[in-house]
Amino acid sequence: MNYIPLAIPNMSEAEATNLQKCIDDNFVSSVGQFVTSFESEVAALSGNQHGVAMGSGTQALHMALHCLGIGAGDLVILPSFTFIASANAISHTGAKPWLFDIEPTSWTIDVDQISEALEQKCRRSAGGNLELIETGERVAAIMPVYTLGTPANMDQLRRLSETYNIPIVADAAAAIGVAYRGQPIGALADLTCYSFNGNKTITCGGGGLVSGDNVALMERIKHVSSTARVTKNYDHDQVGYNYRMTNLQAAVGAAQLGRLQDFLKTKRRIRARYDAAFSAIDNVSIFPSPEDRGSTNWFSGLVLESAASLNPGDLCEALGRMNIEARPFWKPVHLQQPYQDAPTESQDYTESIWHRIVTLPCSTDLTVEDQDRVIEAVKTILSTS
Ligand SMILES: *Cc1c(COP(=O)(O)O)cnc(C)c1O
């Protein structure tokens, strides 16, 4: 039986044609027509005026924070339940993540918990900054993560951001093409960051992008991520970064963008079929689908309740023996070795859920037959264990 991978890229003639064009034109590096068009197309999809493409989603988050002036002595509010890259991008600026729990209904950051913490644990400094009373660290930004491509509770979060005057940098790594109350997501945050890593819905091989509307800020992001060069004569005005996406990556991304709506449809179908198959099984629950927002359904899978007869590791191993790739999901940041010292709010829900999640094959070329094989395999393993 064929091997069914978890989430792999979906390449076609269109990507090959674009890559060949780069070779023919000799535009393979960080300047080129594909970079420019990729930036404006992703920004438009995001509902923003400007986009700056990067080598990875981590770099996009890092540049967004860095160019908002965030650095040592600052805290950035982040859900602990995220891929470690969100926290790493904060650390790269010199700041620290302040870790919050997630809501059960969406697996996105618990805005009530933030509201309470800001009220009870923070004060305004003489200079006007919002700071954590205990340490004097500045609360410099909020980074909601659009888990599985589902936006956070942005109505409530934006009210908080306005009340306290702290910017929002959205980790929308897996949320390309999603709508929130019928609108694109770019207006929900000061800056919105995407990833085009190999396992995302569309990929550039690797890549990222910062999207936003503030022209001066977006120009700064472009400048700082392109070595902060002022003139062609090796003149630079600050410590810059060499983070820009290459034309080769953008060539792949441009072709992928043309296929995005098809991919999103497939992701929706995959998610719906798993949900239908697993919602009636004892001790198994499905991923959340908040009714008030859309999702790109980046990953699909199931949650094993504590009463289930086997644990996620055993299920993944058993599927592996049947030539099906399945994996646990993110280990929360507060449980990761490099973040032992990060300030952390109570993580009741995160700690109850993260180790029970199993992600299942959800590549955009997954056939209905292969998905049925995955579903039957899961059912067989669960019923015989
Ligand atoms: C993929 C991902 C990232 C990092 O993107 P890279 O392109 O791999 O650097 C950050 N945050 C989340 C939530 C992700 O899923």
Side-chain angles (χ1 to χ4, degrees), residues 322-343:
M322 298 166 87
N323 236 4
I324 294 168
E325 186 182 15
R327 281 178 61 188
F329 201 41
W330 299 328
K331 179 177 172 180
V333 173
H334 73 283
L335 300 178
Q336 303 277 4
Q337 198 275 329
Y339 292 99
Q340 290 309 296
D341 295 335

Side-chain angles (χ1 to χ4, degrees), residues 100-111:
F100 285 75
D101 206 353
I102 49 170
E103 324 169 317
T105 48
S106 67
W107 292 355
T108 64
I109 198 160
D110 181 341
V111 185

Side-chain angles (χ1 to χ4, degrees), residues 82-94:
T82 182
F83 182 50
I84 199 166
S86 328
N88 288 346
I90 295 168
S91 299
H92 295 334
T93 69

